[in-house]
Amino acid sequence: MTAVTTASTARDRVAASAPVRGLTVLYDAECALCTHLRGWLARQPQLVPLTLVPAGSAEARARFPGLDHAATLDEVTVVGDSGQVYRGSRAWIVVLWALREHRPLAHRLCTPAGAKLARGAVLAAAKWRDAQWQGRRENGQWGGGSYRRADGWSYHPRSGWTFGPPSCSDGACDSR
């Protein structure tokens, strides 16, 4: 498995070359599909321990202060115990790799043909999620839940709109 992003650890190791002994899966707690998959993952026998944390939560921000938490709400993100960051289809592949019964599938998805299949599955899930949110917005049926946008704005039925600026620690923000 290769990480999409690498970070140096305190011992100056490159995280991509460090063994993976644990993974944190950041999932959208407001998404029915995401919470269903979270429950499914929790029930699976694991070769590598998975910690399941709501994306954008106080716990996620405390664990990973340098991560772009707005992006974790838009795209599945998995963080390894040595700082490896996996996003999108690679995140799903590494999660499957951590599961005892699904590791062989993860190895097949690492092939060129398998990578296309994994990418298609992630895109289909993203399209389904977007359709669910779009339908709720158009019909005014948010189900009493909150709504978050990638630009940092959130709507909570009890408190209204609030702004939590995206993290700029990775240098991706415009400093003007």
Side-chain angles (χ1 to χ4, degrees):
M1 296 270 123
T2 57
V4 173
T5 305
T6 58
S8 294
T9 64
R11 291 177 276 186
D12 288 335
R13 296 185 300 173
V14 175
S17 64
V20 177
R21 293 192 176 94
L23 295 167
T24 301
V25 179
L26 300 174
Y27 69 96
D28 185 351
E30 302 295 326
C31 166
L33 176 62
C34 302
T35 57
H36 172 77
L37 290 171
R38 180 228 176 268
W40 179 81
L41 286 172
R43 294 187 303 272
Q44 299 304 303
Q46 301 170 1
L47 294 171
V48 176
L50 298 176
T51 303
L52 305 160
V53 176
S57 67
E59 180 181 355
R61 291 179 190 282
R63 284 176 177 249
F64 312 110
L67 199 59
D68 179 355
H69 291 279
T72 65
L73 289 166
D74 290 335
E75 185 173 35
V76 62
T77 304
V78 175
V79 182
D81 60 338
S82 294
Q84 307 94 327
V85 177
Y86 304 89
R87 296 185 193 280
S89 59
R90 290 182 179 187
W92 282 114
I93 292 170
V94 78
V95 167
L96 290 172
W97 174 82
L99 302 176
R100 183 178 67 209
E101 296 173 12
H102 299 283
R103 187 168 276 188
L105 174 60
H107 287 290
R108 286 192 302 273
L109 292 174
C110 287
T111 66
K116 288 179 184 177
L117 179 65
R119 180 76 178 140
V122 169
L123 289 173
K127 187 171 183 159
W128 184 88
R129 285 182 67 213
D130 187 54
Q132 297 303 304
W133 280 109
Q134 185 65 29
R136 288 185 187 134
R137 284 190 297 256
E138 288 173 356
N139 296 323
Q141 299 171 350
W142 289 8
S146 62
Y147 168 70
R148 291 185 291 255
R149 296 186 345 192
D151 63 0
W153 283 97
S154 321
Y155 176 78
H156 305 276
R158 290 193 178 127
S159 59
W161 285 97
T162 57
F163 180 71
S167 171
C168 295
S169 61
D170 61 358
C173 297
D174 187 6
S175 60
R176 287 184 268 162

